Amino acid sequence: MRNSRSDVVAAALRVLDAQGLEFCSMRRVAAELDVQPSALYHHVADKQTLLALMADEIVGTVDLGSENPAGICADLRRALLGIRDGADVVATASAFRLGASAVEARLGELLGEDGARTLLLYVFGHAQSTQTQLQARELGVLADGPSPVELDASFARGVGIILDGVRAD
Amino acid sequence: MRNSRSDVVAAALRVLDAQGLEFCSMRRVAAELDVQPSALYHHVADKQTLLALMADEIVGTVDLGSENPAGICADLRRALLGIRDGADVVATASAFRLGASAVEARLGELLGEDGARTLLLYVFGHAQSTQTQLQARELGVLADGPSPVELDASFARGVGIILDGVRAD
DNA sequence: ACCTGAACACCGTTCAAGT
DNA sequence: ACCTGAACACCGTTCAAGT
């Protein structure tokens, strides 16, 4: 046995974190494993499937035990921001199978379907925008804009607004 | 004078609507204009810039006169869904310059910054997910899932939740 | 089962040169 | 000012063939 499917996913996540989604090509993932590009297709149907598996891995670390929706959202955000372009990867993959995720199911139990959906879309959107801004800042493309602390606070306020709205229903 | 910058943007929007974002390449936009790919770089710095101009065009049709935030959101959604992959194009482009858009400024006047931001991220996320689902349905990849009417309703409920939350603040 | 090697049909972008 | 032609360094994916 040489490489397994999870070796491929792990290598892809390493490439993602090191180079970003733009450069996370099948060819670079193959190179990370010292293997020809075509070898990947023995483990994975296509790139889209690989991205979905990566998304599962990223979201899999979220703690669903809590009764506190704001806590779950914060933990999801932590997971998304924990790897380069994580929000993009998960948002794109989830768009294809919203309702399939354990996080949405758990939030649905706590808040109802509409609340869960509203909250999730907000968390993805905010995390995506945060990650894009922080990267632009690193590249020196963007000088101004909110600091990380301000972004944390703005995230929390948005979650608060939505939770207030769910309760007001 | 042969082609202008707006000719390029218009051609790109035609290709986008006909083929989708995945196939909206610089080479295909050039072909749409009966021109070599390299000719586009006389009008536009790179593909990212072209996508930003397309996003401006898409969002430019939104009516900002109304005092009613829900109405503005509905109109923004109409604009995003009015062209294939419009939500994706605008969401990606806006991530780079949130705060720059006229829509966010107008919603900010009506609701405050946090409310405007929360609402906008939700509208983008919902429209993106809607567009992905409808396309998957067309391709026969997805058989079940909410109908267009149900998607409209779920959108309206999400907007309602957020507006209730803003008022409860 | 897992991988190589070679090929196919694409990309975005640059740059000298033409009109 | 606007465009061509040619090139460069990439893509994702397929498929026969090897072990």
Side-chain angles (χ1 to χ4, degrees):
Chain A
M1 228 195 13
R2 292 176 260 186
N3 284 305
S4 73
R5 192 177 165 114
S6 27
D7 291 333
V8 172
V9 177
L13 287 169
R14 264 178 278 134
V15 174
L16 179 69
D17 203 39
Q19 329 235 42
L21 183 55
E22 190 189 352
F23 300 107
C24 189
S25 63
M26 297 299 271
R27 294 178 113 99
R28 291 199 190 203
V29 173
E32 171 78 18
L33 290 167
D34 273 312
V35 124
Q36 294 296 314
S38 52
L40 299 183
Y41 292 86
H42 198 267
H43 302 283
V44 126
D46 51 21
K47 191 182 182 180
Q48 200 193 143
T49 305
L50 177 54
L51 285 167
L53 293 169
M54 294 162 70
D56 288 342
E57 202 74 24
I58 293 171
V59 174
T61 69
V62 175
D63 174 27
L64 301 176
S66 165
E67 302 280 309
N68 174 20
I72 295 177
C73 287
D75 198 38
L76 173 57
R77 185 171 113 105
R78 173 206 51 75
L80 297 177
L81 298 186
I83 187 169
R84 170 117 83 129
D85 289 334
D88 261 303
V89 170
V90 174
T92 307
S94 317
F96 269 100
R97 26 190 211 113
L98 254 194
S101 99
V103 180
E104 185 173 20
R106 183 66 180 124
L107 287 175
E109 286 170 22
L110 298 170
L111 299 175
E113 240 187 64
D114 289 333
R117 186 182 183 72
T118 307
L119 203 48
L120 255 192
L121 289 173
Y122 172 74
V123 174
F124 286 152
H126 197 281
Q128 240 172 315
S129 145
T130 296
Q131 227 156 23
T132 312
Q133 278 182 257
L134 293 179
Q135 271 173 222
R137 197 92 41 96
E138 265 175 42
L139 293 173
V141 185
L142 214 66
D144 51 346
S147 71
V149 193
E150 288 168 328
L151 286 168
D152 287 1
S154 111
F155 175 75
R157 288 194 304 268
V159 170
I161 286 176
I162 294 171
L163 290 177
D164 285 348
V166 173
R167 280 177 216 118
D169 252 21
Chain B
M1 228 196 10
R2 292 177 261 185
N3 285 304
S4 73
R5 191 177 165 116
S6 26
D7 292 332
V8 172
V9 176
L13 287 170
R14 265 178 275 134
V15 173
L16 178 70
D17 202 38
Q19 330 235 40
L21 183 56
E22 189 189 354
F23 300 107
C24 188
S25 63
M26 297 299 272
R27 294 177 113 100
R28 292 199 189 202
V29 173
E32 172 78 18
L33 290 167
D34 273 312
V35 125
Q36 294 298 312
S38 51
L40 299 182
Y41 292 87
H42 198 266
H43 302 282
V44 125
D46 51 22
K47 191 182 182 180
Q48 203 194 139
T49 305
L50 178 54
L51 285 168
L53 293 170
M54 295 162 70
D56 288 344
E57 202 74 24
I58 293 171
V59 174
T61 70
V62 175
D63 173 28
L64 301 176
S66 166
E67 302 279 309
N68 173 18
I72 295 177
C73 288
D75 199 38
L76 173 57
R77 185 172 113 104
R78 173 205 53 74
L80 298 178
L81 299 185
I83 187 169
R84 171 118 82 126
D85 290 334
D88 260 305
V89 171
V90 175
T92 307
S94 316
F96 267 100
R97 24 185 215 118
L98 255 192
S101 98
V103 180
E104 186 172 19
R106 182 67 180 123
L107 287 175
E109 287 171 22
L110 298 170
L111 300 174
E113 241 185 65
D114 289 333
R117 185 183 185 72
T118 307
L119 203 48
L120 255 191
L121 290 173
Y122 172 75
V123 174
F124 286 152
H126 197 281
Q128 240 171 315
S129 145
T130 295
Q131 227 156 22
T132 313
Q133 278 180 253
L134 293 180
Q135 272 175 222
R137 197 94 40 97
E138 266 175 40
L139 294 173
V141 185
L142 215 65
D144 51 346
S147 70
V149 192
E150 289 169 327
L151 286 168
D152 287 2
S154 112
F155 175 76
R157 288 195 304 270
V159 170
I161 287 176
I162 294 171
L163 290 177
D164 284 349
V166 172
R167 281 177 214 117
D169 252 23

